[in-house]
Amino acid sequence: MAFDFKKEYKEFYLPKNKPGIITVPSMNYIAVRGAGDPNQEDSDYKKSIGLLYGIAFTIKMSKKGDHRIEGYFDYVVPPLEGFWWQEERPSENSKTQTDPAERSMVAGIDYSHKEDFHWISVIRVPDFVTKEDFNWAVSEATKKKKMDFTNVEFLTVDEGLCVQCMHIGSYDDEPATVQQMHEFMEQEGYELDITDKRLHHEIYLSDARKVTPEKLKTVIRHPIKRKGS
């Protein structure tokens, strides 16, 4: 049976729909960077998904070709994920906000201005995949699919200490879940630690083309640190 990261590492992919604290180890991804509203027709974000899956399945199906990856085992391609940020934009009511969690949401992700999004769209790869294997996959996919994969990169991310929660519902309703996460982390003695290296992270467990918005399952993860550290 193929190894399924979601089932084997439930603490990372299937958290409860209540906030929790977790330490996330270093993981390797294939990644595409971009900017703009992901919902726009023919957006760069939607194009990035096709590029990622093209490389992801080239690596997975290498077992049927001549390229042998040392340590390879059969696995289910992990879910699509995304790291998101925006250039800080003053909120209309930022001067009157007193709740730290609300201020953090303004400084982190403002869902009312999707045109300001910057993103790194990613799919995790097993630890046995090296940079050399990735380079082979890019070359192989380029030849077979007649597409330009030069924007795809091999990326290592060490998230470390985070607060996370399963969000069930529309992407536009995420602020309510984020609010719960921020309230929980503060009660536990932590504070938000979003930086240019530590970003708002989402893991998409549902196919938005097949699942109604109210049933979408998305893991939301934010980097944190101990207060005063």
Side-chain angles (χ1 to χ4, degrees), residues 19-58:
I21 306 297
I22 189 169
T23 298
V24 184
S26 177
M27 298 181 187
N28 294 327
Y29 300 90
I30 51 175
V32 177
R33 300 171 187 264
D37 186 341
N39 297 323
Q40 289 292 325
E41 192 68 28
D42 201 32
S43 66
D44 287 343
Y45 177 76
K46 292 178 180 177
K47 293 176 183 177
S48 77
I49 295 174
L51 294 175
L52 289 176
Y53 278 107
I55 300 300
F57 278 98
T58 297

Side-chain angles (χ1 to χ4, degrees), residues 80-108:
L80 179 71
E81 308 182 35
F83 295 94
W84 299 83
W85 73 98
Q86 292 168 321
E87 302 301 326
E88 189 166 351
R89 168 196 287 263
S91 171
E92 292 179 1
N93 62 342
S94 61
K95 293 182 180 179
T96 62
Q97 285 176 325
T98 57
D99 188 306
E102 289 290 341
R103 292 199 303 271
S104 295
M105 287 167 63
V106 172

Side-chain angles (χ1 to χ4, degrees), residues 138-156:
V138 170
S139 177
E140 184 75 1
T142 300
K143 288 188 294 184
K144 289 190 173 182
K145 300 180 182 294
K146 309 299 182 184
M147 293 173 59
D148 182 4
F149 289 92
T150 56
N151 286 337
V152 186
E153 63 182 278
F154 187 85
L155 179 68
T156 300

